[in-house]
Amino acid sequence: MRKNSIKNTRINGEVLKELSEIIRREIKDPRVAGAMISVVSVEVTPDLKYCKAYISVMGSEEAALDAIAGLKSAVGYIRRELARRVNLRNTPEISFILDQSIEYGVHMSRLIDEVTKDLRVSDEADAADESKEADDTEG
């Protein structure tokens, strides 16, 4: 099975859905249950031996690291639940990776908003200066 085959894409989607459900409903660890966690994407290798789960955690950096540590400590339970829910030849070994792309996107959006606000203010100031100069030359 190739990495981007239709079968691998379907397996990735199914594992993503079930991992999200397991993390949201089954994990009782306070590091995980207290955080707002979302599974951004999942990459299962074509031989179904390994799985990289990209996790996004809303909140501080410390909360994100705690949540990842909680998930890593519960990886055996998560893998067993995944095996029970998804019928695969092999149940992949799961490694959780902190994905900060959502937070990075929010940060970049804020920076863009600040720049556009500054540009609007400077454009309004330039327009006011031009109108003042026009009034001075007429009078």
Side-chain angles (χ1 to χ4, degrees):
M1 176 171 56
R2 290 188 321 246
K3 185 173 183 177
N4 294 329
S5 69
I6 293 171
K7 182 178 179 183
N8 196 313
T9 304
R10 278 188 294 155
I11 289 171
N12 287 342
E14 190 65 25
V15 169
L16 180 126
K17 184 180 89 172
E18 293 301 332
L19 268 181
S20 298
E21 196 70 21
I22 292 167
I23 290 170
R24 187 165 33 113
R25 294 205 173 152
E26 304 292 327
I27 304 296
K28 304 295 186 220
D29 189 331
R31 296 175 291 186
V32 176
M36 189 156 160
I37 298 175
S38 62
V39 181
V40 177
S41 68
V42 170
E43 292 177 6
V44 179
T45 57
D47 63 356
L48 305 176
K49 298 266 186 202
Y50 302 99
C51 170
K52 291 181 185 176
Y54 294 92
I55 306 294
S56 176
V57 181
M58 295 300 290
S60 68
E61 184 76 22
E62 183 180 323
L65 294 175
D66 283 347
I68 292 294
L71 288 172
K72 286 181 179 178
S73 71
V75 74
Y77 174 78
I78 294 170
R79 187 174 181 208
R80 186 173 61 247
E81 280 296 307
L82 188 64
R84 192 175 63 76
R85 295 175 183 213
V86 180
N87 186 18
L88 294 174
R89 182 172 6 115
N90 297 318
T91 303
E93 291 181 24
I94 305 166
S95 59
F96 294 102
I97 300 167
L98 184 61
D99 184 12
Q100 297 176 326
S101 62
I102 294 173
E103 290 179 18
Y104 179 75
V106 169
H107 175 69
M108 292 305 288
S109 179
R110 285 185 188 141
L111 291 176
I112 290 169
D113 289 345
E114 288 177 17
V115 169
T116 56
K117 184 174 80 173
D118 291 345
L119 287 175
R120 269 190 253 120
V121 169
S122 67
D123 286 346
E124 290 171 2
D126 289 345
D129 288 344
E130 288 175 6
S131 66
K132 184 178 179 183
E133 289 175 9
D135 290 344
D136 289 344
T137 57
E138 290 176 5

